[in-house]
Structures are given as structure tokens and as C-alpha cells.
Amino acid sequence: MNLTQQTILITGATSGIGLHLAGRLHQMGNQVIACGRNQQQLDQLAAEHAGISTYLGDITDEQQRQELADWATTHYPTLNIVINNAGIMQQVDLTQPIDPAKVMTELVTNLLAPIHLGGLFVKHLQEQSVAALVNVSSGLAFTPLASVPVYCATKAAMHSFSVSQRHQLRDTSVRVFEIIPPAVGTNLGHQDNYDNSKDQLMPMDDFINAVIDALQTDTYEAAIGAAEYLRQQRDAVFSQINP
Ligand SMILES: NC(=O)c1ccc[n+]([C@@H]2O[C@H](COP(=O)([O-])OP(=O)(O)OC[C@H]3O[C@@H](n4cnc5c(N)ncnc54)[C@H](OP(=O)(O)O)[C@@H]3O)[C@@H](O)[C@H]2O)c1
């Protein structure tokens, strides 16, 4: 898809992948709406990129998700790309009793929120001649890192969901992308997730280049860098059970 003069909303744009993607998409001549929970970081992003719009909100809150969708579609009627990028990753020790509230936060942030946001925007997106929902999963959706088991499960679920969402929307103007990142150096899991060995991390600029390329070339399921190696299984049966 063409990636200039689009109107693009991105969640989790206050740090890491979302922050860099927002900046790049803005540089490319798109109207970017950057969403996040940290007003100071949103203000900084807006100051560094004149013309970027910002929106403060917590995607774990159902009412705030609704308010975001209402606000964005009212103020930006040309909105045609929604990037579900916000996410968290928590270590969970499965040999110990589980704190359900902690698990729920991860489930809601990584799974319920992007599913709900897709539903909140889908009618508006279908009214655009070209539109996209972009879900950010992970290479860990395919091969889990056992120390972050709930995270991996949510990302596996987002992969499955994206396949179904893409199929159900196949006859509409809405294309569904899944970006499958490898390890990239960000604040995710406060960097306690990987062993922090720098050579395991894909440089952010290279990663953002690959994301832009995937979107521009209509690569709907884009496993980037080492994520391709983590993706062990293909959904060959999908077309058989979904004629
Ligand atoms: N980095 C990697 O190696 C990697 C690998 C595979 C997949 N991913 C995926 O890439 C996406 C971006 O992660 P990242 O690596 O860039 O991590 P990050 O630097 O920690 O950024 C995560 C973003 O999500 C936002 N966020 C978290 N909870 C939120 C909430 N309840 N409401 C609104 N915003 C919220 C954060 O905002 P706050 O600053 O307010 O917390 C932040 O802007 C995630 O979906 C992640 O799973 C990353």
C-alpha cells in the first residue's frame, strides 16, 4: 500500500517501536496520530515532529478505548490505517501461585485491547477506499520464551486472530497486516526479557525499514529478521477449512 498522505493512528507511540514508527511515518508525509499513556513523552514527540497529533489514553480501559475511537474518527475522518502496537511483557514464574490481576493486565493490553480497537475502527475503515489494520505480534508467538509465558500466549493468539480477521475482511477495503518483530532493543519488559546481548537485537532503523517495506509491498504476514526463524509452522490447512 502507498505510505504517503495516509492518516495513521498508532498505539504505544511513546517509546520503542511505536515511537520510531510514528516518527518515520510522519517523515514520509503521513498524518500520524500518536497514542500513549505518558503526556510528557507525547508532548516531546509532538515538539520534535511538527504536525504529529497526540492522544493520551490507557488501552486497558474499555471506556478509554471507546473514547479514543470516537475522538479519532471525529477529528480525523480520513483515518485509514490503525496500528495496534502497544504491548507489555512480564516475567511469570509458573512454579509459583499466579497473581490473576497481573496476568489480566497482560491479557488485556496485548490481546483484548487490539481486538476491541479493531472492532471499534472497522466500520470507519471500511468507509475508506484503502485501509489497513496492522497488528504487532512477535516471533515469540511461534516459539515461546518460557520466562514470559503469558506474553507469548497473547502473541500466539494475536497471530491466530489476525489470520481470521484478514480472512473475514477479505472482501472489504480493509487489509489486515501482522508485523512479527524479532528482538529489538526497546523498553519492552524493561529489558529483562532477553539476555541483553546486543548482537541478538535487530537495530531499530533496520527493523523500521523492514516494517515500512512490508506495508508498502502488501506483505500481510511479515516475519522480520530472526522472527522468520522462530516461525516454525505455516497455516497450510487454513484455506482448506476456510473456503
Ligand atoms: N522489542 C522487541 O524485541 C519486540 C519483539 C517482538 C514484539 N514486540 C512488540 O512490539 C510492540 C512495541 O513494543 P516495544 O518493544 O516498542 O516496547 P516498549 O518500548 O515498552 O513500548 C511499548 C509501548 O506500549 C505502550 N503501552 C503499554 N501499555 C499500555 C497501555 N495500557 N495503554 C497505552 N499504551 C500502553 C507503552 O507506553 P508506556 O510508556 O506508557 O508504558 C509504550 O509506548 C509490542 O506489541 C511488543 O510486544 C517487541
Side-chain angles (χ1 to χ4, degrees):
M1 73 187 304
N2 177 24
L3 268 192
T4 57
Q5 298 188 317
Q6 312 296 330
T7 306
I8 305 172
L9 182 146
I10 177 163
T11 65
T14 53
S15 72
I17 289 168
L19 177 67
H20 288 84
L21 200 50
R24 178 71 67 85
L25 290 167
H26 174 73
Q27 283 169 8
M28 292 172 69
N30 299 288
Q31 174 63 60
V32 172
I33 306 158
C35 306
R37 289 182 296 187
N38 186 316
Q39 186 67 61
Q40 201 178 352
Q41 285 168 330
L42 290 174
D43 290 346
Q44 189 177 333
L45 179 63
E48 287 170 3
H49 301 278
I52 275 194
S53 303
T54 61
Y55 187 90
L56 184 71
D58 184 336
I59 62 160
T60 60
D61 185 286
E62 181 177 342
Q63 188 179 334
Q64 290 191 43
R65 292 194 296 268
Q66 181 72 60
E67 288 168 359
L68 166 62
D70 292 344
W71 175 86
T73 52
T74 301
H75 288 84
Y76 294 93
T78 59
L79 173 66
N80 67 330
I81 300 176
V82 173
I83 304 179
N84 273 314
N85 167 75
I88 60 170
M89 174 160 66
Q90 303 180 136
Q91 301 216 354
V92 180
D93 182 352
L94 299 177
T95 69
Q96 300 299 319
I98 296 300
D99 175 359
K102 177 180 172 182
V103 170
M104 185 60 79
T105 301
E106 199 164 14
L107 293 176
V108 173
T109 306
N110 293 356
L111 187 56
L112 177 60
I115 290 173
H116 187 206
L117 286 168
L120 288 169
F121 283 109
V122 75
K123 296 306 291 180
H124 176 86
L125 293 177
Q126 286 179 71
E127 290 164 7
Q128 315 304 313
S129 57
V130 175
L133 277 165
V134 182
N135 297 323
V136 179
S137 66
S138 171
L140 299 179
F142 303 92
T143 303
L145 182 66
S147 58
V148 289
V150 177
Y151 174 83
C152 297
T154 63
K155 294 300 184 176
M158 273 314 291
H159 165 66
S160 173
F161 177 80
S162 300
V163 174
S164 298
Q165 190 180 41
R166 182 179 305 120
H167 188 71
Q168 286 201 24
L169 288 166
R170 67 194 181 285
D171 293 329
T172 75
S173 61
V174 185
R175 302 279 70 83
V176 176
F177 290 81
E178 179 188 1
I179 300 297
I180 308 168
V184 183
T186 67
N187 292 331
L188 189 71
H190 307 290
Q191 292 297 333
D192 57 5
N193 43 325
Y194 305 106
D195 67 5
N196 281 344
S197 122
K198 292 273 183 252
D199 58 7
Q200 287 191 7
L201 300 173
M202 185 170 188
M204 181 63 80
D205 278 353
D206 294 351
F207 173 73
I208 296 296
N209 288 341
V211 173
I212 297 297
D213 183 66
L215 298 175
Q216 286 179 324
T217 58
D218 293 336
T219 305
Y220 297 121
E221 197 175 295
I224 294 172
E228 181 59 34
Y229 297 105
L230 292 170
R231 185 167 57 161
Q232 296 294 319
Q233 299 176 24
R234 302 298 306 162
D235 300 325
V237 181
F238 182 77
S239 57
Q240 294 172 18
I241 62 172
N242 294 283

